[in-house]
Amino acid sequence: MLYKKLSNGINMPMLGLGTFKVTEGEAYDTVLAALKMGYRHIDTAQVYGNEASVGRAIKDSGIPREDIFVTTKLSPVNLGYEEAINELQVSLEKMGLTYVDLYLIHWPSPSNTLNQLTWRGMEVCYEKRMARAIGVSNFKIHHMDALLKTARIQPMANQIELHPGLYQLPTQQYLNEKNIATISYGPFMKGEVFLETGPYYPVLKEIADIHNATVAQVIIAWGLKRGILMIPKSVTVSRIQENLGALDLVLSDDEVKAINQLNRGRRIYTDPDNNSFVKQH
Ligand SMILES: NC(=O)c1ccc[n+]([C@@H]2O[C@H](COP(=O)([O-])OP(=O)(O)OC[C@H]3O[C@@H](n4cnc5c(N)ncnc54)[C@H](OP(=O)(O)O)[C@@H]3O)[C@@H](O)[C@H]2O)c1
């Protein structure tokens, strides 16, 4: 496994398993299979509704807790100082854990004041060691700038939509300068990268063929080479294994550049400036 050292010195496995849209019924078998294969990083969230199964799979895997990296995220409808603390307590109880490794604010509110208040609650979670690291998700540069004005503890990571159609180089550069790790979500663009007639596939497939790899592996290896943490989701055992195989694939700088050139600023998920499902103030 490859690891990235976060700004507070803890090691985070650079490849993890995403669990969005993995039902409580599917999550146990999927997470257990991934852990047995060698995954050591599981990405869940309060809104995914599968934390209990994720926790059971971690326990039943028999792998020491300290060897597994677990991320969860504060629900966007529960932003607030006390909410950040209380909702993590609920997550821990559901998962049967005493701490998570990373706790993220799932989506920013349009209210910077509410984000700042929520962040104070995240800081308490960190100080109480309920979370070994804290961070944000879907924060654009302007959200980050506002948060950092009042943060006592700087976020250690930002999980953002990032894939061949949305390379996020400016945001990554901003985060790198502040020693905040970038985590990619949605790497396969809800399947768009696999469309043979689409703008991404021919370039990705050509690179994959050179390395005797798959398009999915090329995308994961592209992120890893850029220093980005990758959390592809699958409930299919063969794909979970295939995605793990990306750890053995090292792309050249020219190949990374060729994939960067596929960027067209294409968002597949909600624009964080237009997220009506988030607590507004
Ligand atoms: N912070 C946020 O707001 C946010 C938002 C979205 C996602 N996320 C996180 O990021 C994770 C990944 O993003 P995502 O779930 O949107 O999508 P994704 O990882 O880009 O794609 C998942 C889709 O690709 C398929 N797939 C997986 N591996 C494949 C392979 N090797 N070959 C072909 N198809 C493959 C999966 O199918 P099967 O499952 O049927 O195999 C599934 O349909 C999420 O699960 C979640 O943990 C975070």
Side-chain angles (χ1 to χ4, degrees):
M1 183 54 69
L2 274 176
Y3 288 85
K4 187 171 186 97
K5 206 175 265 306
L6 300 182
S7 61
N8 66 341
I10 73 165
N11 284 322
M12 180 166 180
M14 290 194 68
L15 179 61
L17 179 75
T19 66
F20 180 42
K21 296 210 168 140
V22 180
T23 63
E24 189 76 290
E26 294 167 323
Y28 178 81
D29 287 343
T30 305
V31 171
L32 195 58
L35 290 172
K36 292 218 158 123
M37 258 175 230
Y39 281 76
R40 290 294 178 269
H41 165 187
I42 310 296
D43 183 87
T44 182
Q46 290 163 359
V47 291
Y48 299 171
N50 59 24
E51 287 176 311
S53 294
V54 168
R56 261 191 320 118
I58 289 170
K59 184 161 175 271
D60 291 353
S61 73
I63 297 165
R65 168 68 187 92
E66 60 274 20
D67 292 348
I68 302 176
F69 194 102
V70 185
T71 299
T72 198
K73 315 183 194 85
L74 175 66
S75 166
V77 296
N78 281 328
L79 298 180
Y81 171 75
E82 283 177 5
E83 288 87 340
I85 304 164
N86 295 341
E87 294 304 313
L88 179 54
Q89 194 53 49
V90 173
S91 286
L92 292 175
E93 280 161 25
K94 278 189 188 159
M95 290 194 274
L97 302 177
T98 55
Y99 65 89
V100 290
D101 296 278
L102 180 61
Y103 185 36
L104 305 175
I105 300 180
H106 204 149
W107 287 88
S109 169
S111 158
N112 286 326
T113 309
L114 181 55
N115 294 332
Q116 291 167 341
L117 193 64
T118 307
W119 188 250
R120 283 185 45 211
M122 304 293 283
E123 291 172 332
V124 171
C125 293
Y126 182 67
E127 285 163 345
K128 287 184 158 182
R129 297 176 191 233
M130 297 161 74
R132 291 175 72 225
I134 49 175
V136 293
S137 177
N138 293 300
F139 274 52
K140 290 187 169 180
I141 290 174
H142 72 87
H143 296 115
M144 293 297 301
D145 280 339
L147 193 79
L148 291 174
K149 277 192 186 136
T150 58
R152 286 185 296 116
I153 301 168
Q154 187 176 270
M156 287 126 209
N158 188 5
Q159 185 181 121
I160 52 175
E161 180 177 345
L162 191 158
H163 44 64
L166 185 67
Y167 68 175
Q168 296 271 27
L169 272 185
T171 306
Q172 189 193 4
Q173 194 179 344
Y174 170 98
L175 295 172
N176 282 350
E177 279 163 12
K178 297 187 158 35
N179 199 13
I180 299 171
T182 304
I183 307 169
S184 146
Y185 77 69
F188 304 142
M189 304 182 70
K190 294 190 178 161
E192 256 186 55
V193 287
F194 302 117
L195 289 178
E196 292 187 19
T197 51
Y200 313 104
Y201 187 85
V203 173
L204 295 166
K205 177 73 171 128
E206 196 181 324
I207 296 171
D209 286 347
I210 292 168
H211 294 276
N212 204 11
T214 66
V215 164
Q217 289 172 331
V218 166
I219 293 167
I220 297 165
W222 165 70
L224 297 177
K225 177 92 181 194
R226 286 178 53 194
I228 295 165
L229 296 111
M230 302 298 288
I231 48 166
K233 170 264 178 186
S234 177
V235 292
T236 313
V237 170
S238 58
R239 288 174 170 173
I240 297 172
Q241 186 77 60
E242 176 188 331
N243 295 345
L244 186 63
L247 288 172
D248 299 324
L249 173 59
V250 180
L251 300 186
S252 69
D253 291 341
D254 283 346
E255 288 167 335
V256 168
K257 267 191 211 148
I259 300 172
N260 286 347
Q261 280 165 7
L262 297 174
N263 176 61
R264 5 177 80 58
R266 168 118 174 87
R267 271 190 193 280
I268 303 289
Y269 280 93
T270 306
D271 187 319
D273 280 327
N274 191 22
N275 46 5
S276 56
F277 49 88
V278 174
K279 197 167 164 185
Q280 301 291 305
H281 42 75

